[in-house]
Amino acid sequence: MNSSEEIAVSGMSAGRPALRMGPAELVQAAAMARRFYLEGKSKIQIAEEFGVSRFKVARVLETALERDLVRIEIRVPAELDAERSDALRARFGLRHAVVVESPAEEEESPDPESLGEVAADLLGELVTEGDVLGLAWGRSTIHMAAALDKLPPCTVVQLTGVYDAGTAERGSVEAVRRAAQVAGGEAHPIYAPMLLPDPATAAALRNQTGIARAFEHFDKVTVAAVSIGSWEPGISTVHDMLSQEERAHYASLGVAAEMSAHLFDAEGRRVGRDLGERCITVEADRLRRIPEVVAIAGGGRKAPAIDAVLRSGLVTSLVTDTAAADQLLAAAPPPRPALDRADPDELGDA
């Protein structure tokens, strides 16, 4: 290979359209092509790094050549940053990491809508026929559901109550309906608030027929999409639902992040577990058993919260933006890769 050669990985072939590739496929193809063509690594070395067989690596490279995706420069659609995506995946041991370019004027804005659009494409790539897709409440998951245009036949279940029962039509209930409509599958929404006044009220609601039916599907979920919130006004719906006294109490416990009404400190350990007793939400242990949990969150202000949740072992994949990715890559590396699904509370001094 001479120095004038370049490698490009794109979604279109020269002269004819290629089969549509999802964002994770594009990012992975770009990373493997870089290793093989520019860094001179063997297929066995690449296979070991990505945790796949060398035959899988060979197929990816062969497909790239057959579809004219390789032109000796690594290029994915403009909105995707392949280099940051690969670096983030490797640093946190994620299955998939997709980083979206964030406009300078939106670097501090939490969860730009473009994240939802890319996440919608990623779900279309990850979900297979017969899967059970779980959606948790969050602005980013709502944006994602609105952007969905393809899903194989699957069941869709709501994983949390809604921020406000009065806004259900514009929130997670509608997101579940939308996803199920695109997939042509069953929908199991939850018509209840996420946060209740006390544990007894929450327990009573969980026993109601419709909500209990949704909860019965939690153990069947194979792919889940969740949002992440920082513990500050306007960036965590749970924070905003609590009284000032309650916010101060949980802040004193060191809360750095919130996901599906579960609170985490900066090391990814769960704190304030009593809050979950008042909430309609999927339990953390059940989330940990779901094979693929995709977190959708971005913006520089959310970076510490994203870091905390990635350390929790509850998330396997991430869709974020360059503003958050740069801070995540500069932070101290986590002690265990996300794919270990290890609970920091059980690691102790190990």
Side-chain angles (χ1 to χ4, degrees), residues 5 39 43 105 133 138 299 333 345:
E5 292 179 323
E39 299 177 10
K43 293 174 184 176
E105 65 274 13
L133 171 63
D345 291 325

Side-chain angles (χ1 to χ4, degrees), residues 8-157:
V9 180
S10 72
M12 298 293 291
S13 62
R16 70 178 185 278
L19 294 177
R20 182 176 179 181
M21 298 177 72
E25 289 177 312
L26 284 165
V27 167
Q28 185 182 72
M32 288 185 176
R34 181 185 296 112
R35 304 290 194 278
F36 187 73
Y37 292 102
L38 295 184
E39 299 177 10
K41 290 189 175 181
S42 70
K43 293 174 184 176
I44 292 177
Q45 289 174 311
I46 297 170
E48 290 177 350
E49 179 182 351
F50 286 85
V52 299
S53 71
R54 67 181 186 277
F55 304 106
K56 165 71 172 179
V57 175
R59 285 197 299 272
V60 170
L61 296 174
E62 181 179 349
T63 299
L65 288 170
E66 289 176 349
R67 298 180 184 174
D68 295 327
L69 302 180
V70 174
R71 287 182 321 196
I72 324 244
E73 103 184 311
I74 298 176
R75 182 170 60 87
V76 295
E79 71 272 14
L80 298 182
D81 190 309
E83 186 173 352
R84 283 185 176 94
S85 298
D86 185 42
L88 204 59
R89 178 202 59 78
R91 187 179 189 84
F92 286 91
L94 294 163
R95 184 170 291 120
H96 303 293
V98 182
V99 178
V100 180
E101 290 284 352
S102 51
E105 65 274 13
E106 294 185 6
E107 286 188 352
E108 293 303 314
S109 300
D111 302 337
E113 290 193 24
S114 58
L115 293 185
E117 296 169 1
V118 172
D121 281 344
L122 180 61
L123 277 195
E125 182 180 349
L126 297 179
V127 176
T128 59
E129 184 172 353
D131 274 344
V132 177
L133 171 63
L135 299 182
W137 196 96
R139 297 181 185 90
S140 56
T141 51
I142 291 170
H143 291 156
M144 179 205 67
L148 283 171
D149 60 6
K150 64 167 186 175
L151 273 180
C154 65
T155 297
V156 185
V157 59

